[in-house]
Amino acid sequence: MSDVDRLQKRFAEIIASDHRHGGQLGIEQQAAALADEALNLQNAGSASQRVRGSLYASAAAFRIHGAAQDRTGTRRAFEQAQDAMQRADPADYRPVWMLAFYDQAELDSLALSAHLALGDYSTAEYHAHRCLSALRPHMVRSRAITTTRLAHAQLAQGAPEAATATARKVPADAATQHARVTRMLQEFGAALRATAPGSSSVQTWTEHAATWRMAA
């Protein structure tokens, strides 16, 4: 269990770095490396079933199935996480980083990200709306990320006007000061221009994005 504690401590440090610096590729790579380390430990030695189970759970936590196009795994992971959350005792001890971040809104945010990666855009939109309705008021960056992902899901379903209206709800400071949000909005603009070239939505978005650049 000391290995489990060590891995969880390193993961908490990655989460803290994400909170300080915003989404960066290096953070994702560190989490993936931790997952590989946890699985290697799980397959080595003669650890007890409790330790093996804890290592496997850690590896699963370090990696959100959608990126691997595993639809069954994505659905099963969400259902198990939702069931565990509903059965959990609110009085149980939890680390500060977990209390500060992981709740129903975050669970729906993870499902949103996974279903976007799967290309299941209607389910992604469903989880986006659930997430936005449950987010705590101070989670400004999380709300901006979720709103942008919702816009992507709507655009992918052939609704450029609705998608543009959604993307425009992202506050200017979030759009210009958080690296992950900035990148996602740039990707949204590129996708909008590719799927609806010459449309009023493209013009609206271009003019709106220009106000952010001036504000920055």
Side-chain angles (χ1 to χ4, degrees), residues 27-195:
I27 292 174
E28 181 179 342
Q29 292 171 336
Q30 291 174 50
L34 276 186
D36 291 339
E37 185 175 344
L39 287 177
N40 288 336
L41 286 169
Q42 200 262 356
N43 292 324
S46 56
S48 68
Q49 187 60 38
R50 173 172 174 256
V51 172
R52 288 182 181 278
S54 296
L55 286 168
Y56 186 80
S58 295
F62 302 156
R63 281 192 182 271
I64 315 200
H65 289 289
Q69 294 296 300
D70 183 354
R71 292 179 180 273
T72 301
T74 298
R75 183 178 64 254
R76 182 173 59 245
F78 175 76
E79 291 173 350
Q80 290 173 344
Q82 184 71 76
D83 179 64
M85 180 174 286
Q86 290 172 344
R87 290 188 291 105
D89 184 350
D92 282 350
Y93 168 77
R94 290 171 177 80
V96 173
W97 62 265
M98 182 176 287
L99 291 174
F101 198 73
Y102 286 97
D103 54 12
Q104 182 63 53
E106 176 61 12
L107 181 56
D108 279 299
S109 176
L110 293 170
L112 160 61
S113 179
H115 284 284
L116 274 179
L118 285 171
D120 184 356
Y121 301 115
S122 61
T123 304
E125 180 174 3
Y126 165 78
H127 285 290
H129 287 298
R130 276 177 47 116
C131 177
L132 289 171
S133 67
L135 272 173
R136 287 170 279 179
H138 71 279
M139 305 291 280
V140 176
R141 184 171 69 103
S142 294
R143 182 171 297 277
I145 289 172
T146 301
T147 301
T148 306
R149 285 177 173 158
L150 172 57
H152 276 277
Q154 292 172 328
L155 181 61
Q157 293 178 83
E161 292 183 2
T164 301
T166 296
R168 291 179 64 192
K169 294 178 182 178
V170 177
D173 55 351
T176 57
Q177 297 176 18
H178 293 293
R180 181 188 296 178
V181 179
T182 300
R183 174 177 54 79
M184 292 171 64
L185 287 170
Q186 289 172 343
E187 293 171 350
F188 171 79
L192 179 64
R193 289 188 293 273
T195 57

Side-chain angles (χ1 to χ4, degrees), residues 4-20 27 30-31 34 62 95-98 102:
V4 175
D5 292 340
R6 176 176 55 81
L7 290 170
Q8 291 290 352
K9 182 176 183 296
R10 287 168 58 191
F11 188 50
E13 292 170 352
I14 291 174
I15 295 297
S17 178
D18 183 54
H19 286 177
R20 286 195 302 271
I27 292 174
Q30 291 174 50
L34 276 186
F62 302 156
V96 173
W97 62 265
M98 182 176 287
Y102 286 97

